[in-house]
């Protein structure tokens, strides 16, 4: 049970090699071994979505992925969105439209929203709501999150990689 | 340009948006030990014995402790007859109550050790409901309370005569369903007592309040204890309670010489963090043919859970105070009773006693409308307190004096916003088509009590005072720092307090920083709850900044050889009005404030610092008019919120974007209480809604688009005219939703259905009504 496995993966564009126990969740690995604490844990049944990040561009709940399952993959966390101090349109949209209050669900919301806009650059409010239905927010009531994503869609240059 | 009233984006956001937030869980340094509870599987049982040796011997386990190890310490702070020990002592009184605590090197070792602890119980009858606790011969849950009642406060006024002689009478029994505040960040604590100074980081709403109680409990000086609330992932009133881990973690750290973290899982949090609401109401109303309400009698039973929480005990007091809502009712009588049950302790949840009041009075008004055949809007207009009657002494309690409001204007604004007449036409058309989903329109003209509070109000809840602290300083470079005892967890206080200060001081908004949450930085504070922060901290900033500006002008005048009265300050520069070339920067003034040779006669160095303990002179009374439009599927009972309209009156708005965010968040929780959320126990008192699979916190598709508007009647009770808004949505929304659903079903003669209005409940009540014709 305490034996480890060596994995290699890319995290926010940088190669990472690490020893992990097979039972270690991806979110635990990122938070505890890589000190990337931006990804949060809010539940134990995969409901809340605070742990959402991207693996190979797909939104994934990292509480329900083992670190070893992410081996060989490209993991993007909230820390990997901004380019230095330049936030992405999704991040800026959340700021402009007050899409966050306490900020705890925000990393998951940002990652899921980023995946949505990569897939569908001009979603309707209903499409945004449906896409985000795996991410819980207790503070905002969601409307300003939808407006934030719409802002981002309107302010993204077509073809930009987010 | 005035920043107060402006839509300013938040200072708090850049860190939170880039993964640089620092929540309690993010701060656990390597080597921090982990504490986990062993939880009771029974709702009510005697603890016969423990077998902890096996767990203690497991790899990575540092210690296993039970109640006996805390014998030198008192029970947790709380009403004594139903006080709670740190760990269950001899008896468990709710499902999930911690009976032992494991301390281990890491989370995995702790979790494994929890499973290895064996506890032998003698199961006792569980009182899951108020009725069971009050039944003849029911076993006392606490020996000191043989009737399972903490406080029984029957109505002081007898209005049975007025009820009996009213032309019409109606009664209603309503349940205000038990909810879980469920902030996305669960309760978390890190205690470090590895040196002589105890440092506690915790996800809490009131750090100084914790320091006051924790140091007393531990028997240590306040000077040796630092409490830090870092970034806090939501609270909604569930992070001001005396959770045992706040007290246990420091002791474990001390005893075992390690830093200790406690991070509740969601399953643990749903059982262990405070539940909210859980009131039963019996209400009687007397009214006339024209819908005028003449008499109202409300009896509240507050389920406190297995242990009494001081805030929980205060909830029904506030409920009775607000029982008459926006209405002028000649005869009102209210009473309440606290009942202990074998369930999780109940305490504050957004609105804390006021959603319960607004729910009942708004259901009553709709009942009156239904019985008289009058339009529900018309009944409200006939009963509203007139706009020229403020300040209005409500006859629920002498402390309740409504400050200002314009209820008819809010309602009329709402009716226009939603095009009420058109919706009623649509409803009528639908009723003629048996295949169409049923349309329901519900109104909620609500009022609540906020701005906690005037001196004495919070002391009743165990706080040291009711003020909020503001320490304002300007540094030599002309930047300003506000240290406040306010402890925000999403409300944007860094932004709004900077807006207020910038307007008064003329220091650019970006040059103002707000510090909060750390007892080492902020000397004293009260905390953030009860929609109090603008009334107290906001007003405090305005007051402190005004005093400071006067001194700054005295220095500037001295340096410019001009009269301070002739100076104005804009964008960080003091200038003589009309002679802009005669000017001096805030930085220059601030530097001079530390230079004795530069100061006017009689002024001492360091004088650009203000410390204010700002009381809210009186409660404030935000109000509003909401409407919910629902569709009910007659085949499945499913309720869809098609439209939601909200008109809010919170007086002066500091930042409309932030105010709107508070309203929308509160409305979402209110809709959730009405339709989705309910904490449920089985007949043995086992918690059924133990994960988010079963406790239905809504997600984005479940909450409708909101259409909002504003009415503004400033409060005369503080210099900003601001009433507060944080809890308004949760107060106003549930009755709007329920009234809408009842309206949709009214043709079946259905007068009431309790929340949450699940499809099963609606389906059942419809089939039953159809069967009985």
């Amino acid at each position: 049970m305490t034996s480890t496995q060596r994995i290699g993966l890319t995290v926010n564009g940088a190669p990472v090699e690490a020893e992990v126990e097979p039972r270690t969740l991806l979110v635990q690995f990122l938070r505890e071994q890589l000190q990337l604490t931006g990804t949060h844990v809010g539940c134990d049944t995969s409901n809340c979505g605070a742990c959402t990040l991207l693996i190979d561009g797909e939104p994934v709940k990292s509480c329900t992925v083992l670190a070893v399952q992410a081996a060989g993959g490209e993991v993007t966390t909230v820390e990997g969105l901004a380019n230095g101090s330049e936030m992405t349109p999704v991040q800026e949209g959340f700021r402009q439209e007050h899409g966050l209050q306490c900020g705890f669900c925000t990393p998951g919301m940002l990652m899921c929203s980023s995946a949505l806009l990569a897939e569908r650059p001009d979603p309707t409010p209903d499409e945004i709501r449906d896409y985000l239905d795996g991410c819980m927010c207790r503070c905002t009531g969601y409307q300003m999150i939808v407006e934030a994503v719409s802002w981002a869609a309107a302010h993204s240059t077509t073809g930009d990689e987010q | 340009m005035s920043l107060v009233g402006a839509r300013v984006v938040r200072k708090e956001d850049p860190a939170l948006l880039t993964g640089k937030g620092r929540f309690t869980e993010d701060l656990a340094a390597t080597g921090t030990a982990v504490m986990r509870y062993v939880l009771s599987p029974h709702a009510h049982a005697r603890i016969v014995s423990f077998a902890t040796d096996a767990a203690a011997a497991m790899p990575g386990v540092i210690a296993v402790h039970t109640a006996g190890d805390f014998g030198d310490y008192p029970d947790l702070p709380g009403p004594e007859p139903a006080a709670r020990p740190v760990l269950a002592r001899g008896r468990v009184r709710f499902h999930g109550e911690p009976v032992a605590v494991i301390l281990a090197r890491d989370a995995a070792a702790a979790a494994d050790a929890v499973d290895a602890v064996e506890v032998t119980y003698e199961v006792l009858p569980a009182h899951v409901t108020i009725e069971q606790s009050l039944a003849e011969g029911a076993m006392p849950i606490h020996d000191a309370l043989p009737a399972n009642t903490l406080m029984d406060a029957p109505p002081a006024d007898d209005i049975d005569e007025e009820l009996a002689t009213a032309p019409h009478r109606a009664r209603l029994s309503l349940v205000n369903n038990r909810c879980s505040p469920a902030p996305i960040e669960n309760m978390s604590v890190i205690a470090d007592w590895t040196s002589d100074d105890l440092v506690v980081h915790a996800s809490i709403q009131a750090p100084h309040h914790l320091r006051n109680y924790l140091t007393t409990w531990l028997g240590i000086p306040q000077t040796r204890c630092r409490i830090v609330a870092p970034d806090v992932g939501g609270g909604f009133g569930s992070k001001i309670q005396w959770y045992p881990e706040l007290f246990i973690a420091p002791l474990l750290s001390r005893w075992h010489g390690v830093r200790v973290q406690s991070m509740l899982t969601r399953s643990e949090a749903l059982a262990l963090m405070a539940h909210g609401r859980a009131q039963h109401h019996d209400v009687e109303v007397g009214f006339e043919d024209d819908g005028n309400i003449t008499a109202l009698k409300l009896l509240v039973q507050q389920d406190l859970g297995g242990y009494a929480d001081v805030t929980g005990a205060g909830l029904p007091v506030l409920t009775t105070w607000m029982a008459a809502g926006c209405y002028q009712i000649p005869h009102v009588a209210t009473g309440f009773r606290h009942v202990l049950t074998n369930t999780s302790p109940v305490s504050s949840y957004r609105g804390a006693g006021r959603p319960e009041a607004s729910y009942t009075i708004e259901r009553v008004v709709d009942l009156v409308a239904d019985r008289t055949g009058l339009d529900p809007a018309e009944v409200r207009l006939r009963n509203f307190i007139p706009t020229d009657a403020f300040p209005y002494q409500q006859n629920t309690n002498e402390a309740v004096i409504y400050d200002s409001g314009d209820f008819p204007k809010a309602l009329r604004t709402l009716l226009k916003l939603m095009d009420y007449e058109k919706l009623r036409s649509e409803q009528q058309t639908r009723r003629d088509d048996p295949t169409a989903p049923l349309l329901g329109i519900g109104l909620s003209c609500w009022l609540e009590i906020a701005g906690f509070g005037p001196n004495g109000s919070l002391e009743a809840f165990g706080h040291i005072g009711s003020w909020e602290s503001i320490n304002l300083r300007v540094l030599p470079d002309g930047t300003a720092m506000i240290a406040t005892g306010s402890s925000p967890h999403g409300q944007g206080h860094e932004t709004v307090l900077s807006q207020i200060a910038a307007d008064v001081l003329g220091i650019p908004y970006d040059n103002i920083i707000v510090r909060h949450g750390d007892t080492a930085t902020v000397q004293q504070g009260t905390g953030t709850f009860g929609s109090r922060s603008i009334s107290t901290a906001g007003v405090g900033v305005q007051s402190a900044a005004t005093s400071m500006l006067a001194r700054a002008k005295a220095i500037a005048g001295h340096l410019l050889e001009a009269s301070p009265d002739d100076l104005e300050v804009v964008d960080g520069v003091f200038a003589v009005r009309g002679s802009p070339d005669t000017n001096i920067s805030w930085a220059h003034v601030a530097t001079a404030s530390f230079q004795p040779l530069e100061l006017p006669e009689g002024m001492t160095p360091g004088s650009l610092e203000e410390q204010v303990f700002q009381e809210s002179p009186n409660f404030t009374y935000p109000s509003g008019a909401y409407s919910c439009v629902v569709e009910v599927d007659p085949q499945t009972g499913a309720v869809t919120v098609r439209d939601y309209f909200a008109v809010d009156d919170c007086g002066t708005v500091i930042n409309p974007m932030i105010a709107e965010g508070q309203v929308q968040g509160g409305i979402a929780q209110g809709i959730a209480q009405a339709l989705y959320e309910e904490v449920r126990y089985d007949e043995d008192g086992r918690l059924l809604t133990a994960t988010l699979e079963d406790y239905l916190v809504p997600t984005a598709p479940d909450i409708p688009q909101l259409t909002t508007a504003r009415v503004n009647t400033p409060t005369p009770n503080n210099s900003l005219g601001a009433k507060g808004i944080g809890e308004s949505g949760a107060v106003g929304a549930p009755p709007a939703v329920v009234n809408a659903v009842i309206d949709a079903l009214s043709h079946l003669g259905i007068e009431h259905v309790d929340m949450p209005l699940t499809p099963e409940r609606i389906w059942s009540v419809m089939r039953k009504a159809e069967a009985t014709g």
Side-chain angles (χ1 to χ4, degrees):
Chain A
M1 204 168 66
T2 52
S3 67
T4 60
Q5 202 171 306
R6 186 156 198 81
I7 59 168
L9 64 161
T10 307
V11 179
N12 296 331
V16 170
E17 294 254 326
E19 293 283 334
V20 295
E21 290 182 47
R23 65 177 174 176
T24 302
L25 301 174
L26 179 59
V27 64
Q28 289 170 320
F29 169 65
L30 294 166
R31 288 180 55 82
E32 292 164 31
Q33 284 185 247
L34 300 187
Q35 279 78 56
L36 291 170
T37 56
T39 307
H40 298 149
V41 174
C43 79
D44 40 20
T45 46
S46 310
N47 290 97
C48 80
C51 67
T52 305
L53 43 69
L54 306 181
I55 300 182
D56 300 332
E58 292 293 315
V60 159
K61 289 187 174 178
S62 61
C63 68
T64 318
V65 175
L66 299 171
V68 295
Q69 289 179 283
E74 278 193 34
V75 172
T76 313
T77 70
V78 64
E79 291 95 334
L81 285 180
N83 188 1
S85 61
E86 198 187 308
M87 296 201 296
T88 64
V90 170
Q91 289 169 305
E92 190 61 44
F94 271 69
R95 183 163 198 213
Q96 291 302 323
E97 296 298 324
H98 194 33
L100 68 154
Q101 293 182 23
C102 82
F104 196 78
C105 78
T106 306
M109 285 290 181
L110 291 172
M111 301 317 294
C112 201
S113 302
S114 300
L116 165 60
L117 292 186
E119 200 181 299
R120 216 173 308 164
D122 191 19
T124 65
D126 278 345
E127 286 173 342
I128 296 170
R129 284 182 188 270
D130 278 338
Y131 200 91
L132 294 179
D133 90 334
C135 290
M136 275 180 187
C137 174
R138 204 53 166 151
C139 291
T140 64
Y142 303 105
Q143 182 150 318
M144 285 169 160
I145 290 176
V146 173
E147 287 162 6
V149 178
S150 296
W151 188 101
H155 290 79
S156 292
T157 321
T158 325
D160 264 8
E161 310 266 322
Q162 300 310 341
Chain B
M1 187 199 79
S2 172
L3 283 183
V4 169
R7 186 189 189 280
V8 178
V9 295
R10 299 195 325 169
K11 285 178 190 276
E12 292 87 337
D13 290 353
L16 295 171
L17 287 168
T18 53
K20 297 196 185 74
R22 291 172 64 72
F23 297 88
T24 303
E25 305 78 356
D26 304 337
L27 305 175
T30 316
T32 303
V34 174
M35 67 171 261
R36 286 292 296 274
Y37 290 128
V38 176
L39 304 178
S40 165
H42 302 293
H44 198 194
R46 284 207 180 84
I47 300 171
V48 175
S49 64
F50 290 99
T52 59
D53 290 349
M58 287 173 73
V61 174
I62 299 169
V64 183
H65 291 287
T66 59
D69 298 328
F70 298 90
D72 289 344
Y73 295 91
D75 285 343
L76 295 170
E80 267 191 25
R84 180 174 172 182
V86 173
L87 288 174
R89 186 178 56 234
R91 184 133 71 121
V92 293
R93 296 180 170 88
F94 65 94
H95 179 219
E97 182 177 358
V99 300
V101 66
I102 304 287
L103 185 67
R105 295 280 167 214
D106 59 56
D112 289 342
V114 165
D115 290 339
V117 172
E118 284 175 25
V119 188
T120 310
Y121 296 96
E122 179 204 326
V123 179
L124 298 170
H127 311 317
V128 188
T129 65
I130 287 175
E131 289 72 30
Q132 287 173 347
S133 281
L134 297 179
E136 184 86 18
M139 180 183 182
I141 295 170
H142 291 270
D143 295 336
L145 300 173
N148 288 321
T149 297
L150 179 69
M151 189 172 156
D152 194 349
D157 303 301
D158 179 358
I159 61 163
D160 287 346
E161 175 74 22
E162 285 82 353
L163 281 166
T165 55
H168 303 282
R169 268 173 92 169
R171 313 172 99 102
L172 209 48
S173 287
L174 309 105
V175 173
N176 207 286
N177 44 322
R178 180 185 285 246
C179 292
S180 240
I184 306 300
E185 185 199 17
N186 298 304
M187 190 60 202
S188 300
V189 183
I190 301 176
D192 184 348
W193 208 356
T194 57
S195 75
D196 286 340
D197 293 303
L198 167 61
V199 180
V200 177
H201 288 77
S203 187
I204 55 175
Q205 300 173 227
H208 297 85
H209 190 43
L210 176 62
R211 184 174 66 178
N212 289 338
Y213 278 80
L214 181 60
T215 54
T216 305
W217 192 85
L218 289 170
I220 63 172
Q222 293 218 6
T223 46
R224 287 302 198 179
C225 177
R226 175 182 171 205
I227 308 286
V228 182
D231 288 323
V232 173
F236 315 110
S238 72
K239 290 181 176 172
I240 49 177
Q241 288 71 23
W242 304 131
Y243 295 122
E245 54 268 29
L246 292 165
F247 299 79
I248 293 174
L251 281 179
L252 296 186
S253 178
R254 186 64 155 178
W255 292 341
H256 301 290
V258 287
R259 286 184 308 278
V260 173
Q261 61 180 300
S262 164
M263 315 272 157
L264 294 188
T265 65
R266 177 62 64 182
S267 303
E268 290 168 335
L270 285 173
L272 298 182
M273 289 181 72
H275 291 174
R277 310 285 184 263
Q279 287 187 0
H280 289 206
H281 289 192
D282 289 294
V283 64
E284 272 192 77
V285 61
F287 55 101
E288 296 171 339
D289 293 338
D290 63 358
N292 263 302
I293 296 170
T294 54
L296 181 79
K297 180 172 165 186
L298 172 67
L299 299 174
V300 175
Q301 296 189 96
Q302 173 71 64
D303 187 342
L304 288 181
Y307 295 98
D309 172 271
V310 63
T311 308
L315 302 176
V317 174
L318 296 175
T319 306
T320 57
W321 281 15
M322 301 310 292
C326 298
Y327 308 107
Q328 204 168 32
I329 301 172
H331 308 286
V332 180
T334 63
F336 70 87
R337 173 160 53 182
H338 299 124
V339 182
L340 282 307
T341 61
N342 292 117
T343 60
S344 299
V346 174
S347 185
S348 43
Y349 170 39
R350 199 169 199 166
R354 293 98 75 201
E356 297 87 321
S358 66
Y359 177 65
T360 290
I361 185 63
E362 287 305 287
R363 288 290 303 118
V364 163
V365 170
D366 257 36
L367 187 65
V368 169
D370 192 49
R371 295 280 177 92
T372 57
L374 291 164
D375 184 284
E378 187 57 34
V379 174
R380 287 170 168 83
L381 286 166
R382 289 183 187 184
N383 284 284
F384 276 152
I385 293 159
T387 308
D388 60 2
F390 294 91
Y392 181 78
Q393 172 68 66
Q394 186 50 283
N395 56 4
T396 48
N397 189 285
E398 61 183 7
V400 181
I401 305 170
Y402 295 171
D403 50 3
S404 63
D406 191 343
F407 308 136
K409 183 174 178 187
L411 178 54
R412 293 197 169 105
T413 304
L414 173 73
L415 297 177
K416 186 165 169 212
L417 184 70
M418 63 192 284
D419 202 339
Y420 186 65
E421 296 304 323
K422 186 168 165 208
L423 281 165
R424 284 290 181 206
S425 293
E426 187 190 348
Q427 182 180 46
Q428 192 51 54
T429 310
R430 290 270 192 112
R431 284 206 168 122
D432 299 333
D433 175 2
T435 65
L438 302 165
L439 192 74
I441 303 162
L443 297 177
S444 165
C445 290
W446 57 271
L447 175 82
E448 75 124 342
I449 182 171
F452 283 79
N455 286 340
S457 57
L458 291 181
E459 288 88 324
F461 288 92
H463 290 265
I464 194 174
S466 301
W467 39 261
E468 192 45 89
S469 74
I470 294 292
N471 179 283
L472 174 64
R473 318 182 179 181
V474 183
L475 282 67
D477 60 356
T479 59
M481 188 175 98
I482 300 168
T484 178
S486 184
S487 206
H489 36 285
Q491 295 91 336
H493 293 171
E494 294 174 34
T495 301
V496 298
L497 297 182
S498 299
Q499 288 175 253
I500 295 168
D503 268 11
V504 178
L505 294 173
I507 291 179
Y509 168 82
D510 287 333
N511 289 357
I512 302 171
I513 197 162
V514 178
R515 301 274 190 221
H516 57 85
D518 188 341
T519 62
T521 308
V522 180
Q523 282 304 298
Q524 293 299 334
T526 299
T528 294
F529 46 85
S531 305
R532 65 189 302 264
S533 300
I534 297 298
S535 308
T536 57
V539 171
V541 167
Q542 189 187 55
S543 171
T546 303
S547 300
M548 175 177 286
L549 185 67
R551 289 226 202 87
K553 281 187 173 174
I555 297 171
H558 175 72
L559 294 172
L560 289 174
E561 294 177 350
S563 164
D565 297 329
D566 293 336
L567 297 176
E568 59 186 3
V569 57
V570 177
D571 271 337
V573 176
F574 291 83
V576 174
R577 217 172 275 111
S579 304
D581 294 335
T582 312
N583 62 59
I584 191 172
S585 69
W586 246 115
H588 191 156
V589 170
T591 302
S593 79
F594 293 101
Q595 299 178 305
L597 299 177
E598 299 295 304
L599 292 171
E601 187 91 22
M603 196 177 279
T604 53
S607 52
L608 289 187
E609 177 176 345
E610 290 289 330
Q611 174 67 53
V612 169
F613 288 87
Q614 182 63 51
E615 175 198 11
S616 178
N618 209 336
F619 298 106
T620 58
Y621 295 85
S623 62
Y626 288 174
S627 179
C628 186
V629 179
V630 301
E631 286 181 328
V632 181
D633 184 326
Q635 307 307 317
T636 65
V639 175
T640 309
V641 178
R642 195 185 84 172
D643 300 297
Y644 195 103
F645 302 92
V647 176
D648 275 273
D649 182 358
C650 65
T652 304
V653 173
I654 311 300
N655 184 322
M657 182 187 79
I658 289 179
E660 181 74 8
Q662 292 300 307
V663 167
Q664 292 186 6
I667 288 174
Q669 286 177 310
I671 291 173
Q673 176 177 11
L675 295 179
Y676 310 123
E677 294 183 27
E678 184 183 29
V679 175
R680 286 181 290 115
Y681 290 90
D682 72 9
E683 64 272 12
D684 295 317
R686 293 212 182 89
L687 182 65
L688 293 170
T689 49
T691 72
L692 293 177
E693 279 289 307
D694 297 300
Y695 186 75
L696 302 179
V697 172
T699 57
D702 304 317
I703 302 295
Q705 192 78 1
L706 308 173
T707 304
T708 63
R710 197 162 290 291
V711 161
N712 184 345
T713 62
T715 178
N717 288 355
N718 66 56
S719 57
L720 284 170
K723 294 181 176 175
I725 199 164
E727 294 162 285
S728 294
V731 170
V737 180
V738 177
N739 282 344
V741 175
I742 301 300
D743 182 55
L745 304 177
S746 60
H747 63 294
L748 292 173
I750 293 164
E751 280 199 330
H752 184 67
V753 184
D754 276 324
M755 303 185 286
L757 302 179
T758 60
E760 185 191 347
R761 239 175 225 187
I762 299 301
W763 184 92
S764 300
V765 90
M766 287 181 76
R767 299 292 89 85
K768 188 170 162 196
E770 283 156 3
T772 56

